Amino acid sequence: MIKKGRGISAVMHPTGFKGGGDPDQCIIKIKPDGTLDVIIGAVDYGQGAKTVIRQIAAEALDMPLEKINLINKGTDVTPFCTDTAASRVTFICGNAVIAAANDLKEKAVAFAADLLSVPTDDLEIEGGKIFKKNDPSVATDFTTIGLASNWGGAFVIGTGSYIASPPQPTDLETGACEFAAAMAYAVCIVDVEVDTETGYVDITDIIQAYEIGTCINPLLAEGQIDGGTMMGVGMAMSEDLYPEYPSIDMSIDNFTDYIIPTSADLPNLKTEIIAMSDRNGPFGAKGFGEMSSNPQPPAIVNAIYDAVGVRINALPVTPEKILSGIEALGQ
């Protein structure tokens, strides 16, 4: 018999290190052709950091994205980054980029003041151009500044750093701490069909909503959620590093035996991204990467419980666990 069930879960996830104390730094320099090198230490291992950081820099500098080049090729030559972890790069590194952009603009205006023989207070900067407030015809741009500064022996460079909070004390017994740079939220609804004869679970639909502050790149965010969703499905239904039966000797030691979901396991997905600007995030953004795989497992086991009354307390869910639970209930 096929029984249907629906489960729901709600989760929250902090941005950055819990307890604070995880700063980042950034350097931005003008090249002779007027393009800008944004130099950071954060790593992009698929979450889209290179694109998002370039977008933040472009917005902060009011420059076209194609003018922004990102460099993060090695910690020997890049400024300090605490870590690419804890869903922190967009928020922490992004704020460091904004600080460096503001510093660069201030120094570019100071250089342009000498170039144009105009006091800095009489100059404005917009769209990569620096011009006299009451006479926009008196102007220069980043290309001219790049040529004039580099070939003139100057070095117009912006530096910035950001830390959301110094390290905060943590209760060694409970792990409680009073700080998170920001908090993102998600809710997940899962529909399942459970075969009471075989214990097989078919996840038919997953409906989710994520509140992640300002969504800087919706396409990347949706991709992160889609990938995280399938990771959550895998954790819930098939992935098992240390099976308890028959012994620890049966633990997985290769990817052939470590079963992850494939496209054949993809349920109907519907995701909404809720934009609620965070006052401390770069242009209102929060971090959320890890959270994308958090809400599915509890929603799945809740849906199974709704369908057949079996409460699974240890992942992954297997047909054997479901059938044993059904038998224990006398169904």
Side-chain angles (χ1 to χ4, degrees):
M1 179 183 296
I2 303 297
K3 291 190 175 182
K4 297 182 178 181
R6 169 168 286 187
I8 187 170
S9 69
V11 302
M12 59 184 182
H13 197 282
T15 295
F17 284 13
K18 292 174 283 294
D22 56 325
D24 268 27
Q25 300 170 343
C26 175
I27 297 169
I28 304 178
K29 67 178 184 180
I30 303 178
K31 297 166 74 173
D33 61 358
T35 60
L36 303 167
D37 282 343
V38 176
I39 310 170
I40 60 170
V43 174
D44 189 332
Y45 44 50
Q47 80 279 29
K50 282 187 173 182
T51 301
V52 168
I53 293 301
R54 288 178 63 230
Q55 287 183 264
I56 291 173
E59 184 72 17
L61 292 162
D62 194 20
M63 294 280 287
L65 186 64
E66 58 268 21
K67 294 283 188 179
I68 309 295
N69 177 48
L70 190 135
I71 298 174
N72 66 339
K73 294 184 178 179
T75 53
D76 284 343
V77 296
T78 59
F80 179 77
C81 168
T82 297
D83 200 356
T84 299
S87 304
R88 63 180 297 282
V89 170
T90 295
F91 192 103
I92 307 295
C93 185
N95 275 325
V97 169
I98 291 173
N102 291 335
D103 186 52
L104 178 69
K105 288 191 288 186
E106 183 177 332
K107 291 174 179 175
V109 168
F111 186 88
D114 289 337
L115 202 64
L116 299 173
S117 299
V118 176
T120 56
D121 290 344
D122 290 341
L123 292 175
E124 290 186 356
I125 181 169
E126 183 178 336
K129 295 181 179 180
I130 301 169
F131 51 90
K132 191 174 181 180
K133 293 178 182 178
N134 298 323
D135 186 2
S137 64
V138 179
T140 187
D141 56 25
F142 275 6
T143 301
T144 302
I145 291 174
L147 286 167
S149 62
N150 284 279
W151 290 105
F155 192 23
V156 180
I157 185 170
T159 62
S161 61
Y162 180 80
I163 183 169
S165 170
Q168 302 295 314
T170 300
D171 189 301
L172 296 181
E173 292 187 2
T174 66
C177 57
E178 297 183 356
F179 173 79
M183 197 69 74
Y185 302 90
V187 64
C188 177
I189 298 171
V190 173
D191 290 328
V192 301
E193 295 180 353
V194 182
D195 189 326
T196 58
E197 293 184 4
T198 65
Y200 177 77
V201 178
D202 183 19
I203 301 170
T204 60
D205 298 275
I206 297 181
I207 304 166
Q208 305 173 105
Y210 287 80
E211 191 278 283
I212 58 174
T214 300
C215 186
I216 292 178
N217 191 307
L219 184 61
L220 283 176
E222 290 171 9
Q224 180 80 43
I225 293 169
D226 289 348
T229 296
M230 293 310 292
M231 290 176 66
V233 170
M235 287 188 287
M237 302 305 299
S238 62
E239 299 178 41
D240 191 2
L241 283 173
Y242 300 103
E244 298 175 358
Y245 177 85
S247 72
I248 193 66
D249 295 332
M250 297 296 292
S251 61
I252 302 300
D253 61 4
N254 63 78
F255 286 115
T256 300
D257 296 331
Y258 188 72
I259 303 171
I260 63 173
T262 70
S263 58
D265 303 296
L266 183 69
N268 295 320
L269 295 181
K270 182 178 181 181
T271 299
E272 293 289 338
I273 296 174
I274 311 301
M276 294 180 64
S277 179
D278 184 89
R279 63 180 181 177
N280 296 316
F283 303 111
K286 300 178 185 178
F288 83 98
E290 293 163 295
M291 184 180 69
S292 62
S293 62
N294 290 170
Q296 301 83 21
I300 289 168
V301 297
N302 285 339
I304 293 169
Y305 177 78
D306 184 53
V308 295
V310 174
R311 177 64 70 188
I312 305 295
N313 294 315
L315 299 179
V317 177
T318 63
E320 292 81 6
K321 291 177 183 178
I322 291 175
L323 293 175
S324 294
I326 291 174
E327 183 179 358
L329 292 172
Q331 296 182 8

